[in-house]
Amino acid sequence: MAIYESQELRKPPISQVGIVRWLRVNLFSSKVNVGLTLAALYMLYVIIPPMLGWMIFDANFNFGEFSFLGFEFGEIMATNDNCGRAAACWPFIYEKFDMFVYGFYPRELVWRVDIVFALAASLFVIVRLVRNYKYKNKVLLAMIIGFPIASFFLIGGGVFGLEVVKTHQWGGLMLTLVIASVGIIISFPIGVLLALGRQSNLRVINFFSTIYIEFIRAVPLITILFMASFVLPLFFTGGISFDKLLRALIAITLFQAAYFAEVVRGGLQAIPTGQYEAADAIGLNYVQKNALIILPQALKISIPNLVGSSISLFKDTTLVLIIGLMDMLAMVNMTANDINWLGRETEGFVFVTMTMWIFLYSMSRYSKKLEVRFSTDHKN
Amino acid sequence: MKTENNNANIIQISDLNKWYGEFHALKNINLNIKEGEIIVVCGPSGSGKSTLIRCVNFLEKFQEGEIIVNGIQLTDDVAKIRSVRSEASMVFQHFNLFPHLSIIDNLTLAPIWVHNEGKEEAREKALKLLDRVGIKDQAEKYPNQLSGGQQQRVAIARSLCTSPKIMLFDEPTSALDPEMISEVLDVMIELAKEGITMICVTHEMGFARKVAQRIIFMDEGQIVEENDPETFFHHPESDRLKLFLDQILTH
């Protein structure tokens, strides 16, 4: 028998670190890998330079004259004709920017929409600021209830002397954001209830939740939008006219609720039976058990999929153009038919793509942060 | 043995039968437990011992027979089930702490939400209980930051938070590393001394010998033998118990 002395800690061998090592391991580790790396490099070479040329180097950025600190810049704004066809003509976007963002919203009233945008942005800041505040939950609740109401009246008007702006004047990015956020926010609680319903032991509730979810999931959103737009009014013959936007919102909410329900159900299934039993054993009732024990855990696990589903919905909102709502994508088709800017759809689509990307990538990053913050592991 | 209607019995189980689908899991169980009694239930796995104590606080439904806990007969009535559950607390094999809540919140949940106690009052009581199980300094941590033994002690403290008359232990040490078993058993022995009624499903024969007033041996869904520890270990009657004791004591 022997006794061993405790060993010292050492740095890893030099071959385990450094950039050369990284390249070898990640890009050139085998013949196949070398081939794939070279193929990827070639593809980047084929795609990137022309793309940058079209978008930036050969593109026209001539937005007109402006002065800054007393210096004059630029020349008269480029028109469709002196822009050339080989590269992007960004003055088109510059001139139609308001159309893309606000649609046909009266120009003199867009400050109201801007306030809503500013409020939305400040929500994220407030959420950060109150993180350690004692009445955090009350502040958050007030925000969740207050913001949509304030936004509705700011955009729609009709109170405090604000001029009414009919929904058919709403459009562009603003409309996209309204549809997406209303769809996401309202369908979420419905989705949670449906998920609980589908897990329920009560046969009737279980049955109807399942039927609802499976029916909606088996039908494309376009179909539901058409139904809501053309079939729903048939049921209300008594002169009640449904707002077109409201119909779209109802359709999207009902659609998204079914998807959220399935995502949440996935989270519910990941909760061990022990959690249900422990909650039962300490005497919690059904509502307490779900509100205090099960849902907080299930929703945390579901964050990535909830955000994924929300991102899908955000993209799907572009479908509303087929029932005649003028969202951001519809505005591209609209503005590219302007006699002065014929044939500039590409710029418009690139702009929409980038805008969508900025919003959706931010959502995705935000969900990553939420995951970390709400992590229930508490391992350290 | 037929149930006598004795008021001193805090738990009366008569002619209890339970099936899982076709499988007859509990066969004609009759058992009376007096207030303050310490019962150990043992037996091979699948013998129905966990199912039995899970029936006592209605985590499992049963099809025939009756269970009366502290004068309340168990039926489907939700209110009755809930009041039985606050009289008979359960400690689980896998602790089943709530991982998203801190230790102190795990403890105060039931007092605040089920028994309408004030936050401060509940917190004070919880800290006392944590002190009793020896982990007061971990109150603000989360379950996953504690060792298995500490988690199980938290679970015991959580069960005690509602001041139950009966504690049900479902193999409380089976999921623990060997070096942590004794810290949990010590807490249970302390409890036993304080006169709380305990039913304990366990394989810890040392514990059974030390604190049990009666040991019940189950096999294939039936109570096979029931005796005081001395007789149970030294003069087992049935062959099945002899075989069982042989298997668990001879290594």
Side-chain angles (χ1 to χ4, degrees), chain A residues 274-275 277-285 288 292-293 296-297 300 376-380, chain B residues 54 57 59 82 85 88 90 92 96-101 109-110 113-114 142 144-145 158:
Chain A
Q275 294 291 309
E277 288 181 349
D280 283 337
I282 64 171
L284 298 179
N285 64 28
Q288 291 168 336
L292 299 169
I293 307 298
Q297 299 185 61
K300 277 170 203 173
T376 49
D377 286 351
H378 298 290
K379 293 211 165 110
N380 56 357
Chain B
R54 288 160 61 87
N57 70 350
L59 281 181
R82 288 183 70 197
R85 280 174 180 163
M90 173 85 96
F92 298 91
N96 297 354
L97 294 176
F98 306 127
H100 62 302
L101 299 176
L109 196 68
W113 290 93
V114 184
Y142 285 85
N144 289 338
Q145 294 170 315
R158 180 177 69 179

Side-chain angles (χ1 to χ4, degrees), chain B residues 3 9 11 37 86 101 124 165 174 232 246:
Chain B
T3 329
N9 287 337
I11 300 174
E37 227 182 338
S86 52
L101 299 176
E124 225 164 89
K165 289 194 170 137
S174 301
F232 187 89
D246 233 30

Side-chain angles (χ1 to χ4, degrees), chain B residues 120-172:
Chain B
E120 280 311 307
E121 183 193 350
R123 197 185 150 81
E124 225 164 89
K125 204 166 72 181
L127 285 172
K128 260 182 214 159
L129 284 168
L130 283 178
D131 197 24
R132 205 160 122 192
V133 298
I135 34 180
K136 195 181 179 183
D137 47 336
Q138 317 277 9
E140 300 303 330
K141 287 196 179 171
Y142 285 85
N144 289 338
Q145 294 170 315
L146 305 188
S147 73
Q150 289 172 322
Q151 288 191 46
Q152 192 60 296
R153 285 186 282 154
V154 171
I156 294 174
R158 180 177 69 179
S159 303
L160 289 170
C161 253
T162 50
S163 319
K165 289 194 170 137
I166 304 158
M167 290 282 280
L168 307 168
F169 291 89
D170 188 2
E171 306 203 26

Side-chain angles (χ1 to χ4, degrees), chain B:
Chain B
M1 195 173 68
K2 196 72 198 154
T3 329
E4 329 122 47
N5 219 346
N6 187 342
N7 281 339
N9 287 337
I10 193 161
I11 300 174
Q12 296 179 28
I13 303 173
S14 7
D15 302 321
L16 177 69
N17 280 284
K18 165 157 182 79
W19 288 263
Y20 288 113
E22 289 285 301
F23 178 69
H24 200 169
L26 291 176
K27 300 170 187 158
N28 234 28
I29 304 285
N30 283 289
L31 182 63
N32 287 325
I33 296 167
K34 290 194 180 63
E35 191 152 5
E37 227 182 338
I38 315 287
I39 310 277
V40 163
V41 184
C42 62
S45 63
S47 60
K49 46 196 194 312
S50 286
T51 310
L52 174 62
I53 72 162
R54 288 160 61 87
C55 281
V56 172
N57 70 350
F58 220 68
L59 281 181
E60 297 284 354
K61 287 184 177 176
F62 49 89
Q63 287 81 16
E64 274 178 22
E66 62 172 22
I67 300 180
I68 299 173
V69 179
N70 201 29
I72 306 164
Q73 179 165 4
L74 275 179
T75 58
D76 277 329
D77 183 350
V78 181
K80 279 187 180 172
I81 292 171
R82 288 183 70 197
S83 59
V84 163
R85 280 174 180 163
S86 52
E87 294 298 343
S89 269
M90 173 85 96
V91 175
F92 298 91
Q93 179 176 3
H94 296 287
F95 333 134
N96 297 354
L97 294 176
F98 306 127
H100 62 302
L101 299 176
S102 64
I103 300 302
I104 189 82
D105 288 341
N106 263 277
L107 265 68
T108 54
L109 196 68
I112 291 174
W113 290 93
V114 184
H115 300 274
N116 299 319
E117 287 177 24
K119 265 189 186 166
E120 280 311 307
E121 183 193 350
R123 197 185 150 81
E124 225 164 89
K125 204 166 72 181
L127 285 172
K128 260 182 214 159
L129 284 168
L130 283 178
D131 197 24
R132 205 160 122 192
V133 298
I135 34 180
K136 195 181 179 183
D137 47 336
Q138 317 277 9
E140 300 303 330
K141 287 196 179 171
Y142 285 85
N144 289 338
Q145 294 170 315
L146 305 188
S147 73
Q150 289 172 322
Q151 288 191 46
Q152 192 60 296
R153 285 186 282 154
V154 171
I156 294 174
R158 180 177 69 179
S159 303
L160 289 170
C161 253
T162 50
S163 319
K165 289 194 170 137
I166 304 158
M167 290 282 280
L168 307 168
F169 291 89
D170 188 2
E171 306 203 26
T173 56
S174 301
L176 296 176
D177 289 338
E179 76 268 23
M180 293 170 183
I181 291 176
S182 66
E183 65 187 64
V184 171
L185 290 181
D186 286 345
V187 169
M188 290 169 64
I189 292 169
E190 283 304 310
L191 275 180
K193 284 180 191 160
E194 287 166 27
I196 198 164
T197 312
M198 284 169 61
I199 310 181
C200 191
V201 173
T202 184
H203 296 295
E204 297 297 328
M205 289 304 133
F207 171 79
R209 213 178 298 220
K210 210 169 188 175
V211 302
Q213 284 149 7
R214 259 195 296 166
I215 306 182
I216 287 162
F217 175 67
M218 288 184 69
D219 193 20
E220 294 179 343
Q222 314 183 30
I223 295 182
V224 175
E225 196 165 335
E226 178 187 330
N227 246 321
D228 60 279
E230 173 62 22
T231 328
F232 187 89
F233 287 112
H234 299 295
H235 310 289
E237 282 164 36
S238 66
D239 292 337
R240 272 185 284 179
L241 177 54
K242 280 177 195 163
L243 180 68
F244 178 73
L245 289 175
D246 233 30
Q247 283 165 338
I248 60 167
L249 296 177
T250 54
H251 59 85

